Amino acid sequence: MASSIAYASNLALLRGENHHNDDAAVSASSPNALCAAPLNFVRLSNNYRIRRCSRSVGVPRAAAEVVDNRIAEKEEQAVKKRRVLRVGIVCGGPSAERGISLNSARSVLDNIQGEDFHVSCYYIDYNLNAYAISSAQVYSNTPADFDFKLESLAQGFQSLSEFAEHLTTSVDIVFPVIHGRYGEDGGIQELLEEYNIPFVGTGSNECRQAFDKYDASLELSKQGFITVPNFLVQGNEGNEYELSKWFSRNQLDPYSGKVVVKPARAGSSIGVKVAYGVLDSLTKADEIISEGIDDKVLIEIFLEGGSEFTAIVLDVGSGLDCHPVVLLPTEVELQFHGSVDITEKDAIFNYRRKYLPTQQVAYHTPPRFPIDVIETIREGASLLFQRLGLRDFARIDGWFLPNSVHMSSSSESKFGRTELGNIIFTDINLISGMEQTSFLFQQSSKVGFSHSNILRTIIYRACLRFPNLASFSSGSSHLPRRSKSAQISKAFSINESTRKVFVIFGGDTSERQVSLMSGTNVWLNLQAFDDLEVTPCLLAPTSEFVSGVDSNNKESDVSSRTVWSLPYSLVLRHTTEEVIAACMEAIEPARAALTSQLRNKVIDNLMEGLTKHSWFTGFDIADEPPRRFSLEQWIKLAKEVQATVFIAVHGGIGEDGTLQSLLEAARVPYTGPGVISSKTCMDKVATSLALNHLATRGVLTINKDVWRKEDLIKMPILGIWHDLTSKLQCETLCIKPARDGCSTGVARLCCAKDLEVYVKALDDCLLRIPSNSLSKAHGMIEMPNLPPDQLIFEPFIETDEIIVSSKSMNENGHHLMWRGRSRWVEITVGVIGKRGSMHSLSPSITIKETGDILSLEEKFQGGTGINLTPPPLSIISKEALERCKEYIELIANTLQLEGFSRIDAFVNVDSGEVLIIEVNTVPGMTPSTVLIHQALSEQPPVYPHQFFRMLLDLASERST
């Protein structure tokens, strides 16, 4: 009954009812208070308690977040009474990593908010203009989502000085999360120092030296560390003669010697290139300079045969005393599967490999190095942290070169020489990435810190340097709402006080990496609730990587599939393959013993400093192994402990009704639509047939022609092309798998040659079609694995390009450019509710940055892609938008959807008519997915943890 009340109230709020009822507001001092401004956006049932999220203090509210002044004043008084620490997160910046900065800010916001912290959010744009933004804005996919409308959404400051003056009265301490320029080069730190504003991290002078790779290299050499031989190119001073002499000194062929060319001041990933010989090196250096990345470029020896590593350093000292402890380092392994060209074999750990899910990178924590090497890495990183005057935390990258790898050096007495090889530190990251699965969290969880615990430890440590903040670090317990130790054991026992939730993700399809991101995000968000015991579970791929399009598996075969129940630290990976490898490592006796030995040593080192601080009350992650089940055993366990299953498996058995059928048979409640709806929506042809009769009611379908893969491979391409264009009466085609995810294998074909390229990719079982392989420019096309048995051809729907312009592009201001000759635009929209009464969220207009088809990463990965939520009135009128939402609800109810789903379509901006593309019954739930944007655009906004809780409650409603 309680969950029924909660759902009814939540849905009423989603529909815009009773927004301004003051009775809905929760007192700021109440333990049941909810997240951010306003405090009354969701009434939740009284049978559970949520950890209170912070609300922004001193931050102007967008129209969607305006709060009653009286409530704000009461909260302000409560803040002063409780001595809540006011933290200002500053993100964005001028570098190409500003999208990643936004992801980091969102992660920090999610994990430090609580009754004892108030968080204000600030954004620095490309031109170093500062804005106070709402916390809702931090959940945007990329700065481009809101850059063009900042002036209407946020409070802008006339200057950085005015911004700093605002900070002096509005926050107690600043947490800069700007990566690259202005964040790590000392810029923001210098501003804060000038105004005596306490902040987390290293001081401006030390940042400046450590951030510049050339200056840092000189200092490291001076301090006795081995360094990589390098050559500096500055401005237009590229000297071919001097570079040739450098090549000779380092025994490199001047015509083919392999080197790395990288900006000296642009973070660890941006603009890094591989070059061959003197001329190619200078050309690559000129490219970096001409692209405006940096006017100072380093050319370094390519460390062939070495193993890259990265290590987080945490300072656990007191006051100005530095006590650095290096956590368990991570080995970065580049992997290449199948045939790759020479450029791939020479690939480096670049921006895409660092931040986007890819099978080309695997991480090992701790490294697979001899224990003496690992200890030398830890010793060296600690020494470097101290000698460079770093503070609070940092990430230090480097290489281990076995003795078999020769590298010339001027001295044999340098630090890093071991009997087994050389250790070289190459990059110092003053503000490490803080996305959900970043190295910071991977390494800290290995030694017992949850996300919240490590971030709060860093903040409290920073407070110790400032006398006026000493009281915040004295006697405050900063542990999360409850210890997460032995979570797997708790999840498998009956406990009346907590409700069990199994979040399942992974699977076989090409969307399995997105599924991992979705499941991780759901798991982390649901942990905000005291009455939930949430366990992350990985559905392992079958041994032969059967594609999700193959539905011929017998149910008995499906039931024998493997499910891993995961401890905290093993979830934090970029790919499902990594998770499984980590599971196998964790249960391998020798590897497990080594990890335990190193973990215990790191914990001992940490405790030497942390035990001196009254605010530290212990670690909250247990060191436990994963548990392995068959799918049948796992479902039986879910039944025994009365768990609700949150399905985050995209495609395959997670979306075609198979998993739903197994759970229904065991009477285990689950999220999302039922068996029949799932099966219908997975088949794009069946979806169209189910909606054909709605043509007179404003819902249109696209003509389709289905072909078997074998026929495409065997028959003449030109004949197929003429047959298709004649039958579908179009010149350009869209091809997609008949039963797979929403982005996998989707391509625009403009000619028979394009079809030939695509069919060859199917025949060769390619994992991806490289960018610009077809006649019209496009991004990388991820392909199903294995290839689908059936493919759909449709007319390609032409729409006018929508361009988002910011001041960095157009000095006249921020605006949208759209010609509107075609009256159709592409949208994606979430629906939520019970069967027969689904509610449409606000649609998002999707903008493609490369080509005509949204890539997987543009849809789901933060830092890429642009979504306009809600659609601007300059494109679609309010009346047409409301009719569009009515049609979307008609589609959802006709297909008997329930829980939640996402519908992709084209909408006519004049009539609101909808041309359906497809329906996703297990949509992406990553931190930056459009569903999050759409929930936040509701009146009042629904924040991610509450959105996922609503979906969970809907699952329980269906089971009663």
Side-chain angles (χ1 to χ4, degrees), residues 717 751-758 774:
I717 293 295
C751 59
K753 182 66 177 176
D754 288 349
L755 177 58
E756 183 180 357
V757 171
Y758 192 97
L774 306 176

Side-chain angles (χ1 to χ4, degrees), residues 920-934:
N920 301 280
T921 54
V922 184
M925 291 167 278
T926 63
S928 56
T929 185
V930 291
L931 283 182
I932 300 298
H933 306 171
Q934 292 171 11

Side-chain angles (χ1 to χ4, degrees), residues 859-931:
K859 280 198 174 184
F860 302 115
Q861 172 65 41
T864 57
I866 301 172
N867 297 298
L868 305 179
T869 311
L873 293 176
S874 59
I875 293 179
I876 181 170
S877 69
K878 184 177 180 181
E879 295 74 23
L881 185 61
E882 287 305 311
R883 285 195 296 272
C884 166
K885 292 171 71 172
E886 291 174 6
Y887 296 142
I888 290 293
E889 290 174 356
L890 176 61
I891 292 168
N893 293 325
T894 300
L895 293 172
Q896 292 290 287
L897 300 180
E898 56 188 311
F900 73 116
S901 294
R902 197 189 77 239
I903 297 173
D904 297 338
F906 296 97
V907 62
N908 186 294
V909 297
D910 301 315
S911 67
E913 286 182 304
V914 169
L915 179 61
I916 189 76
I917 300 174
E918 61 191 10
V919 179
N920 301 280
T921 54
V922 184
M925 291 167 278
T926 63
S928 56
T929 185
V930 291
L931 283 182

Side-chain angles (χ1 to χ4, degrees), residues 504-530:
I504 187 166
F505 45 85
D508 282 323
T509 75
S510 52
E511 288 188 274
R512 62 190 177 278
Q513 317 308 2
V514 175
S515 173
L516 173 61
M517 294 165 62
S518 291
T520 300
N521 190 44
V522 171
W523 162 63
L524 287 171
N525 272 281
L526 288 180
Q527 288 188 96
F529 297 91
D530 277 338

Side-chain angles (χ1 to χ4, degrees), residues 478-495:
H478 75 288
L479 273 181
R481 54 195 171 80
R482 64 166 183 264
S483 172
K484 296 175 176 62
S485 299
Q487 190 172 18
I488 289 180
S489 303
K490 287 182 180 180
F492 296 162
S493 61
I494 298 293
N495 185 339

